[in-house]
């Protein structure tokens, strides 16, 4: 891969500029106002794939946003790597908390990224990371060092639950035949502590609505006499955790696979400083489920969190009112072997059952997805570890992540393929938050590392 590395080195500025062009298009999949921009991003990406040497590039329509497909097939006897990523991004709000406009990328140095980082929505999640694959591919193709077949599948609906990807995968099993799936949409522990993500949590996301009186009421005339939906909702939510921060939904933990003491001891070897963690977030302590470390709470344990809560008067000054309705959005992060549909049902039954007289409760499920784990004994994991060893000079640590990429479990079910999660972001990169950024070190390190994955994977399975 020597010539490939030289090619990468001499094209760094161009690679960066091409990424910045993608980042300037606000491909927010959640907001229909950006429909044309999301579609435009697919076109620019497809164009770039063609220019990078991919063949049979297609913008595959779905019932939602299109999937960008491209490939380079040499020979059926060679292994095939299927690269997955997403070109859609999260909404940018609260926009006033961005130091620079979210879709006008700028490069700035930070303490953690002394070489500079690209500040823009999608810089890390996932345009920057997906684009590393396109550029690593371009380098290998142009230097005639691509050792195997490649297929790209980059979607535009990941941030809204990949609703149409499953249909696409089911209808295109032949086209997507591969030996392994490679994804960069996760992170490493730090720039000098490489790690590979070996697990993702599942997700059940619900919205709840509590209705009291049929209209908003004067809080003096009616206060004390009617169920106040906001008071009630707060109480109901508070009751979902006990004094040890265990979740109280009956049956919630029934299918949770507990890790062995050995596995937990292995996990505890990953470096973690509670002090640094707290300092970075300006908190005096961590908080969570009794009996588990912070690393465990954020990866191998299921959670229940309110993501948003609203109702009543929230404008300037005071308005004396009892609202008719109160709402909350709740996410439950799940671990193997919890099933997201089962958990959604358990939650709904429980939440309805704890509603006191005087209110009505409605629970509406949003998207969900299953957890996934990758064994570290697979050829794919080994190849990723060897690749990172090569470029970081250190053996990566296997780490389970708390985030979710529901399609990983779907790929396993529909295509029978394991996914290798070789991402290069940092937890501090503020994905989904204001001032999202992605280190230049990480962007280039990713482009340099990916070709070695191809090389070692091909050598291992040949
Ligand atoms: N790339 C993230 C997931 C992620 C980030 C996993 C960092 C591990 C480490 C992905 O784009 C994402 O945000 N997923 C959503 C779920 C989806 C169904 C909206 C999530 O985890 O909230
Ligand atoms: Mn992502
Ligand atoms: Mn995301």
């Amino acid at each position: 891969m020597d010539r490939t590395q030289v090619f990468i080195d001499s094209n760094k500025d161009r690679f960066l500029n091409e990424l910045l062009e993608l980042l300037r298009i606000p491909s927010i999949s959640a907001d229909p106002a950006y429909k044309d921009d999301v579609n435009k991003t697919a076109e620019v990406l497809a164009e770039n794939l063609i220019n990078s040497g991919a063949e049979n590039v297609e913008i595959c329509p779905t019932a939602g946003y299109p999937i960008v497909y491209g490939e380079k097939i040499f020979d059926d006897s060679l292994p095939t790597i299927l690269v997955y990523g997403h070109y859609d991004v999260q909404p940018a709000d609260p926009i006033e908390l961005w130091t620079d406009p979210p879709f006008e990328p700028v490069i700035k140095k930070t303490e953690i990224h002394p070489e500079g980082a690209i500040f823009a929505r999608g810089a890390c999640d996932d345009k920057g990371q997906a684009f590393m694959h396109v550029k690593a591919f371009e380098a290998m193709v142009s230097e005639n060092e691509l050792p195997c077949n490649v297929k790209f599948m980059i979607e535009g609906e990941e941030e809204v639950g990949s609703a149409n990807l499953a249909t696409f995968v089911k209808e295109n099993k032949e086209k997507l035949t591969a030996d392994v799936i490679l994804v960069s949409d996760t992170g490493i522990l730090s720039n000098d502590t490489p790690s590979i993500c070996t697990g993702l949590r599942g997700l059940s996301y619900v919205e709840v609505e509590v209705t009291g009186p049929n209209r908003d009421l004067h809080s003096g005339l009616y206060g004390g006499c009617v169920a106040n939906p906001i008071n009630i909702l707060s109480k109901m939510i508070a009751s979902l955790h006990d004094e040890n921060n265990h979740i109280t939904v009956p049956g919630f933990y029934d299918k949770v696979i507990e890790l062995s003491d050995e596995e937990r001891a292995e996990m505890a070897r990953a470096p973690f400083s509670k002090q640094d963690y707290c300092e970075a977030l300006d908190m005096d302590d961590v908080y969570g489920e009794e009996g588990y470390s912070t690393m465990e709470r954020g990866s191998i344990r299921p959670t229940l969190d309110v993501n948003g809560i609203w109702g009543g008067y929230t404008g300037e000054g005071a308005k004396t009112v009892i609202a008719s309705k109160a709402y909350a959005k709740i996410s439950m992060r799940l671990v193997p072997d919890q099933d997201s549909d089962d958990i959604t049902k358990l939650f709904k039954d429980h939440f309805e059952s704890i509603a006191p007289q005087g209110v009505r409760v409605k629970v509406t499920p949003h998207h969900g997805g299953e957890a996934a784990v990758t064994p570290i004994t697979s050829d794919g994991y080994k190849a990723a570890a060897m690749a990172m060893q090569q470029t970081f000079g250190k053996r990566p640590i296997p780490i389970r992540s708390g985030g979710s990429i529901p399609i990983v479990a779907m790929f396993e079910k529909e295509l029978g393929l394991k996914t290798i999660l070789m991402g290069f972001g940092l937890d501090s990169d503020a994905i989904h938050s204001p001032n999202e950024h992605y280190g230049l070190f990480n962007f280039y390190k990713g482009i340099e590392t990916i070709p070695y994955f191809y090389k070692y994977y091909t050598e291992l399975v040949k």
Side-chain angles (χ1 to χ4, degrees):
M1 292 288 157
D2 291 349
R3 290 200 313 275
T4 294
Q5 297 299 335
V6 172
F7 183 92
I8 292 168
D9 216 45
S10 41
N11 284 279
K12 281 187 163 169
D13 289 344
R14 176 172 60 83
F15 290 173
L16 177 60
N17 286 327
E18 289 174 7
L19 171 60
L20 298 185
E21 187 196 344
L22 272 180
L23 291 172
R24 284 190 193 104
I25 320 173
S27 51
I28 303 170
S29 51
D31 186 345
Y34 295 89
K35 189 166 185 268
D36 292 348
D37 294 302
V38 186
N39 285 314
K40 171 88 186 152
T41 309
E43 280 167 31
V44 174
L45 188 60
E47 199 64 36
N48 202 296
L49 261 176
I50 294 170
N51 295 338
S52 302
E55 289 160 7
N56 302 320
V57 174
E58 279 176 76
I59 298 179
C60 310
T62 72
Y65 287 118
I67 290 159
V68 179
Y69 179 85
E71 62 182 24
K72 180 95 187 165
I73 309 290
F74 291 116
D75 179 342
D76 280 352
S77 69
L78 288 170
T80 302
I81 295 172
L82 174 60
V83 174
Y84 163 86
H86 63 94
Y87 64 82
D88 64 320
V89 302
Q90 285 277 324
D93 54 87
I95 204 126
E96 64 279 7
L97 295 184
W98 286 76
T99 313
D100 299 281
F103 298 104
E104 294 172 27
V106 287
I107 316 277
K108 291 194 294 191
K109 292 187 165 66
T110 71
E111 206 176 309
I112 291 180
H113 294 295
E115 299 88 356
I118 313 156
F119 282 77
R121 171 58 86 231
C124 175
D125 184 14
D126 180 43
K127 282 175 180 166
Q129 297 213 63
F131 200 61
M132 299 181 315
H133 284 272
V134 182
K135 297 298 100 177
F137 168 77
E138 178 187 320
M140 288 184 282
V141 171
S142 110
E143 295 306 313
N144 258 316
E145 288 189 324
L146 183 66
C148 59
N149 306 317
V150 192
K151 295 176 178 177
F152 286 93
M153 172 171 62
I154 305 178
E155 71 152 320
E157 297 185 301
E158 197 276 344
E159 298 293 7
V160 288
S162 305
N164 297 295
L165 187 66
T167 314
F168 179 80
V169 169
K170 279 180 202 158
E171 287 173 357
N172 291 279
K173 284 193 178 169
E174 197 69 38
K175 188 189 192 112
L176 300 173
T177 320
D179 295 279
V180 72
I181 300 176
L182 181 60
V183 176
S184 295
D185 194 21
T186 55
I188 48 174
L189 281 168
S190 74
N191 283 355
D192 52 19
T193 320
S195 58
I196 296 173
C197 177
T198 52
L200 293 161
R201 288 196 282 197
L203 179 68
S204 158
Y205 200 106
V206 297
E207 184 166 331
V208 300
E209 179 190 293
V210 175
T211 308
N214 62 1
R215 60 182 171 87
D216 290 1
L217 302 172
H218 188 290
S219 67
L221 297 183
Y222 288 92
C225 311
V226 297
N228 176 331
I230 302 178
N231 291 5
I232 301 287
L233 176 61
S234 307
K235 250 196 204 176
M236 289 170 74
I237 287 171
S239 78
L240 296 174
H241 290 91
D242 69 14
E243 65 285 2
N244 293 319
N245 279 314
H246 292 304
I247 294 154
T248 56
V249 177
F252 187 83
Y253 292 101
D254 283 1
K255 298 216 173 124
V256 170
I257 297 185
E258 297 278 345
L259 265 63
S260 67
D261 289 348
E262 270 163 300
E263 286 171 300
R264 290 181 71 185
E266 188 60 32
M267 262 192 83
R269 289 176 47 199
F272 177 79
S273 155
K274 188 164 120 176
Q275 196 189 336
D276 292 353
Y277 187 87
C278 287
E279 259 172 39
L281 300 175
D282 241 330
M283 312 178 303
D284 56 12
D285 206 351
V286 294
Y287 186 86
E289 189 185 3
E290 202 59 38
Y292 295 91
S293 70
T294 300
M295 289 272 263
E296 291 173 334
R297 289 169 180 169
S299 61
I300 59 162
R301 298 299 296 166
T303 59
L304 185 156
D305 277 294
V306 177
N307 290 228
I309 181 163
W310 70 103
Y313 183 68
T314 55
E316 279 295 307
K319 176 188 179 195
T320 49
V321 68
I322 291 174
S324 164
K325 285 176 186 286
Y327 308 82
K329 294 193 194 266
I330 296 175
S331 72
M332 288 164 275
R333 297 281 170 171
L334 311 177
V335 300
D337 273 338
Q338 287 177 301
D339 176 272
S340 65
D341 289 338
D342 289 353
I343 293 292
T344 302
K345 181 155 193 325
L346 290 177
F347 176 89
K348 187 176 186 322
D349 292 348
H350 176 66
F351 207 72
E352 285 167 358
S353 81
I354 59 173
Q357 281 187 328
V359 299
R360 277 163 290 138
V361 166
K362 196 166 110 194
V363 177
T364 312
H366 283 266
H367 51 238
E370 312 312 327
V373 282
T374 317
I376 61 172
T377 48
S378 67
D379 288 332
Y381 182 88
K382 284 186 201 153
M386 287 161 78
M388 280 191 153
Q389 164 90 51
Q390 174 96 32
T391 55
F392 284 86
K394 277 184 191 171
R395 221 173 82 201
I397 302 171
I399 292 285
R400 286 227 220 160
S401 168
S404 308
I405 310 181
I407 41 78
V408 171
M410 189 269 286
F411 288 152
E412 189 164 355
K413 185 166 158 242
E414 296 300 336
L415 300 173
L417 294 178
K418 279 285 183 193
T419 297
I420 305 305
L421 298 155
M422 189 172 73
F424 293 86
L426 298 181
D427 281 359
S428 55
D429 286 345
I431 64 170
H432 294 205
S433 302
N435 304 312
E436 173 177 352
H437 54 281
Y438 190 40
L440 290 177
F441 170 90
N442 306 70
F443 178 57
Y444 294 127
K445 189 63 93 183
I447 302 176
E448 286 158 23
T449 307
I450 291 162
Y452 289 110
F453 177 88
Y454 282 66
K455 172 178 151 72
Y456 294 129
Y457 184 75
T458 306
E459 287 173 9
L460 281 171
V461 302
K462 244 211 226 147

